[in-house]
């Protein structure tokens, strides 16, 4: 009989396998034989696929190249409608204190342009507390249970806030990692940020990274909000935009 693929040098077989879509490698090719399973589970194949697709990481960080590949390909902002382009769509548990939430165009009255030209709108709060939240289903976004439980990739949270220069305001951020039953496994809560009435209206980024949070995380609950401190009718409270939650490779 003619020699089969098992007779190929391993380096050649790795190059052939690297041309196959990653999902097929894991779900199909890995089941062919012990040799292929070992190659799919090993680092060399995934290092090559990362090189072919321009995905780079420091060798010192090299633990699981397969997870790094999949996380890099999936990396995106998991917050939907982060800048108010769809009004309040996708935001739940909305608390509309005072005159409630409003969406305005940048820079807004007594405001400043956002550091990124890609952001055009923001949400603004009123004279009593306004809050809104999103719950991200990690499995629905493609982050399978074994990955979250074993690799426990870092979860990066970012938000941007600003006041208007003629009014003082308050701002808060609270993010929770939740289990299947929505038990809180990890939590980050900012201090209550106070912006004085005389301020330069500049945009400030706040961020937090969850790591080593243990197994069982299935949801991320992101909540932010604020109000003005002048108690003026209308929308003189804190402005928020460009919120993000990303699972990092």
């Amino acid at each position: 009989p003619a020699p089969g693929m098992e007779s190929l040098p391993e380096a050649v077989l790795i190059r052939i396998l690297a041309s196959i879509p990653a999902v097929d490698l894991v779900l199909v090719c890995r089941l062919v034989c012990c040799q292929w399973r070992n190659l799919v589970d090993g680092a060399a194949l995934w290092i090559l696929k990362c090189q072919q697709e321009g995905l780079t990481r420091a060798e010192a960080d090299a633990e699981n190249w397969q997870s790094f590949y999949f996380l890099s390909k999936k990396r995106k902002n998991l917050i939907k409608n982060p800048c108010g382009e769809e009004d309040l769509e996708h935001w739940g548990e909305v608390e509309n204190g005072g005159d409630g939430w409003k969406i305005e165009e940048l820079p807004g009255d007594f405001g400043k342009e956002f550091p990124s030209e890609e952001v055009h709108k923001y949400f603004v709060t009123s004279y009593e507390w306004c809050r809104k939240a999103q719950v991200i289903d990690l499995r629905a976004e493609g982050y399978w249970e074994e990955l979250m439980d074993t690799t426990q990739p870092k979860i990066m949270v970012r938000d941007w806030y600003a006041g208007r220069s003629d009014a003082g305001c308050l701002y808060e951020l609270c993010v929770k990692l939740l289990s299947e039953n929505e038990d809180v496994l990890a939590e980050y809560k900012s201090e209550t940020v106070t912006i004085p009435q005389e301020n330069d209206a500049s945009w400030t980024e706040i961020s937090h990274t969850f790591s080593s949070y243990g197994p069982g995380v299935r949801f991320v609950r992101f909540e932010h909000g604020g109000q003005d401190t002048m108690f003026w009718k209308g929308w003189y409270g804190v402005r928020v935009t460009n919120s993000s939650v990303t699972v990092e490779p």
Side-chain angles (χ1 to χ4, degrees):
M5 288 187 69
E6 67 275 2
S7 64
L8 292 172
E10 190 170 278
V12 175
L13 184 54
I14 285 174
R15 288 200 167 273
I16 294 172
L17 291 174
S19 66
I20 296 172
V23 172
D24 293 333
L25 285 174
V26 174
L27 297 182
V28 181
C29 297
R30 189 177 181 276
L31 306 180
V32 170
C33 63
C34 290
Q35 182 191 22
W36 285 31
R37 182 190 64 199
N38 291 336
L39 291 178
V40 172
D41 289 347
L45 172 59
W46 298 100
I47 291 173
L48 180 57
K49 284 191 75 67
C50 287
Q51 290 172 343
Q52 290 174 342
E53 300 185 34
L55 306 176
T56 60
R57 74 189 295 194
E59 289 291 339
D61 297 334
E63 291 184 9
N64 189 326
W65 281 90
Q66 185 184 129
S67 293
F68 172 78
Y69 176 87
F70 279 106
L71 287 169
S72 296
K73 298 292 285 186
K74 287 181 175 296
R75 189 178 187 276
K76 64 176 182 178
N77 185 6
L78 301 177
I79 292 285
K80 296 176 174 62
N81 186 26
C83 304
E85 296 291 346
E86 303 172 73
D87 198 51
L88 284 169
E89 189 73 21
H90 304 296
W91 292 97
E93 303 178 54
V94 178
E95 180 180 342
N96 280 307
D99 288 322
W101 286 96
K102 185 183 180 185
I103 290 89
E104 295 181 345
E105 298 274 350
L106 279 158
D109 293 341
F110 295 91
K112 282 190 175 178
E113 290 289 356
F114 192 77
S116 169
E117 294 181 356
E118 297 176 357
V119 178
H120 306 290
K121 294 183 178 181
Y122 58 83
F123 303 91
V124 58
T125 59
S126 190
Y127 58 86
E128 291 179 357
W129 271 97
C130 297
R131 293 182 176 89
K132 58 187 177 71
Q134 274 193 44
V135 177
I136 297 162
D137 183 336
L138 293 170
R139 283 175 300 192
E141 296 293 344
Y143 299 99
W144 59 99
E145 294 181 4
E146 183 183 357
L147 175 73
M148 298 307 302
D149 293 347
T150 304
T151 304
Q152 293 178 33
K154 293 179 180 178
I155 299 174
M156 174 72 80
V157 178
R158 294 185 177 90
D159 200 19
W160 288 82
Y161 64 89
R164 44 184 288 163
S165 60
D166 63 340
C169 60
L170 304 175
Y171 165 83
E172 287 182 358
L173 170 67
C174 180
V175 185
K176 299 177 181 179
L177 305 186
L178 306 176
S179 71
E180 177 74 29
N181 299 320
E182 299 190 6
D183 298 319
V184 179
L185 302 181
E187 180 177 8
Y188 168 75
K189 188 170 184 178
S190 73
E191 62 179 356
T192 301
V193 178
T194 302
I195 300 175
Q197 181 176 7
E198 300 296 330
N199 70 87
D200 63 3
S202 61
W203 287 93
T204 299
E205 183 184 37
I206 184 171
S207 66
H208 177 75
T209 301
F210 291 97
S211 61
S212 302
Y213 39 77
V217 172
R218 301 293 178 262
F219 302 95
V220 180
R221 185 182 186 278
F222 179 104
E223 177 184 297
H224 62 180
Q227 68 171 94
D228 80 36
T229 53
M230 316 304 295
F231 301 99
W232 291 342
K233 184 172 176 58
W235 297 274
Y236 294 85
V238 73
R239 300 165 170 186
V240 294
T241 195
N242 205 38
S243 310
S244 67
V245 172
T246 54
V247 179
E248 297 293 311

